[in-house]
Amino acid sequence: MEATTVWFVAIAFLWTGYFFLEGFDFGVGALLPVLGRDDTERRVLLNAIGPVWDGNEVWFIVAGAGTFAAFPEWYATLFSGFYLPLLAILLALIVRGVAFEYRGKRDEPHWRRRWDRAIFWGSVVPAFVWGVIFANLSRGVALDARHEYVGTLTDLLNPYALLGGLTTLTLFVLHGAVFLALKTAGDVRARAVRIARIAVVAAIAVGGTFLLITQLQHGKPVTWATVAVAAAGLVGAAVAVARGRDGWAFIGTGAAIVFAVVTLFVALFPDVMPSTITAANSLTTTNAASSPYTLKIMTISAVVFTPLVVLYQGWTYWVFRRRIDASHIPQPTRRTEPEPTKDPEPAR
């Protein structure tokens, strides 16, 4: 297998891992105002992802860095042509990360409500915009002979791309609801299960439509299999949610996300960014790649360090595997002023 193909698979693996892991983070953030009826319950939701959310975002950083190093032409065209959507994602992720850290700095309700809104929008915006971006990659964009994007922002907001955004949003909300059903207990879990039963219907309708259109317009014969597995994952998640099998439901939503992303990348190959003007302007794994020596050094590094990172993150999930509920959330202690001391009676 050529080095360029190896790194295309590696980039696809990184993006798939990112959407699988960060997907339920986004879903939990989007469900924060729905499932958390008071501050204690909202803290349950945030504590469910608290130990892992920043580690999940590392997959995005590594995917971007790997794209830059292995396919610099792809990186340059993607980050310049999709500048505004990617800027919206970056700002949302920054605000979301700050909100996680600053929410608990003060006990005032209005302070925490503001950061809760930041977490909500910092989760919803990336969940939607990532779908818009990857749908446009699958569909193709206007690239000229210099591999520069010559379209406009409104061109990126076409109906197919917007459907892709709704697909990732509904999938991530479902993924987050199922994760909370698996990770929490008590009233929060009961409401998460009810939300999951509604979200899975929306995910099947929206996601199924998007995948079918993608397969008919941009797919290959082999991607019928990946589309079928993604659809089976959603149907299996619906059955598991109805039967209260939280673990199987999470496997189902995870499989749906993984194979939906795999479908997009397999349909894309060997292009990395198709041109809608003419196929000659498209970026491919060949004309967008770094030098063979660079790819060789990167491959050695990836073989050494990737298993270590995966093992470490797996250990983190194992350590924090237990369910949590409101009883695990310490209540704030009220500060009491010391009673004033009485002056001693004067000696007689």
Side-chain angles (χ1 to χ4, degrees), residues 57-328:
E57 285 195 350
V58 171
W59 287 74
F60 166 47
I61 298 172
V62 177
T67 304
F68 171 76
F71 301 101
E73 285 281 344
W74 185 14
Y75 180 93
T77 303
L78 177 64
F79 278 75
S80 59
F82 292 72
Y83 178 80
L84 289 178
L86 289 171
L87 179 62
I89 290 175
L90 180 60
L91 292 176
L93 293 179
I94 291 173
V95 170
R96 177 171 168 265
V98 171
F100 282 137
E101 300 296 334
Y102 276 79
R103 183 187 185 276
K105 298 299 183 183
R106 291 166 58 180
D107 293 332
E108 291 86 346
H110 68 277
W111 170 269
R112 295 192 171 187
R113 282 196 299 269
R114 291 171 183 171
W115 290 118
D116 288 344
R117 286 194 290 270
I119 293 172
F120 171 78
W121 288 111
S123 302
V124 170
V125 170
F128 178 79
V129 178
W130 276 129
V132 172
I133 290 175
F134 273 83
N136 275 296
L137 288 179
S138 177
R139 172 179 176 268
V141 293
L143 299 182
D144 62 13
R146 296 179 299 173
H147 301 147
E148 294 182 358
Y149 178 65
V150 293
T152 63
L153 177 62
T154 55
D155 294 334
L156 300 178
L157 302 178
N158 56 80
Y160 174 75
L162 295 177
L163 180 61
L166 289 176
T167 297
T168 50
L169 180 58
T170 54
L171 280 176
F172 292 165
V173 168
L174 171 62
H175 200 39
V178 171
F179 175 79
L180 289 173
L182 180 65
K183 193 71 173 64
T184 62
D187 293 339
V188 173
R189 179 190 175 276
R191 288 197 294 273
V193 171
R194 289 197 293 268
I195 292 295
R197 289 173 179 171
I198 299 172
V200 73
V201 176
I204 290 174
V206 178
T209 302
F210 175 75
L211 286 176
L212 182 60
I213 294 174
T214 299
Q215 176 62 32
L216 294 176
Q217 294 185 353
H218 314 292
K220 300 174 181 177
V222 67
T223 52
W224 278 112
T226 58
V227 168
V229 175
L234 284 176
V235 174
V239 174
V241 168
R243 295 182 176 181
R245 305 295 296 274
D246 302 332
W248 285 107
F250 187 73
I251 292 173
T253 57
I257 292 172
V258 166
F259 283 93
V261 178
V262 170
T263 297
L264 295 180
F265 274 97
V266 173
L268 191 62
F269 184 80
D271 292 335
V272 294
M273 207 164 180
S275 173
T276 56
I277 297 177
T278 175
N281 296 347
S282 298
L283 283 170
T284 68
T285 56
T286 302
N287 62 20
S290 294
S291 66
Y293 182 74
T294 300
L295 295 178
K296 180 180 178 180
I297 297 299
M298 289 177 59
T299 302
I300 296 172
S301 301
V303 169
V304 173
F305 291 106
T306 300
L308 298 177
V309 173
V310 172
L311 287 173
Y312 172 76
Q313 194 161 19
W315 175 80
T316 303
Y317 277 92
W318 176 256
V319 170
F320 295 101
R321 67 189 182 278
R322 299 186 183 279
R323 292 179 183 267
I324 62 173
D325 58 24
S327 66
H328 297 104

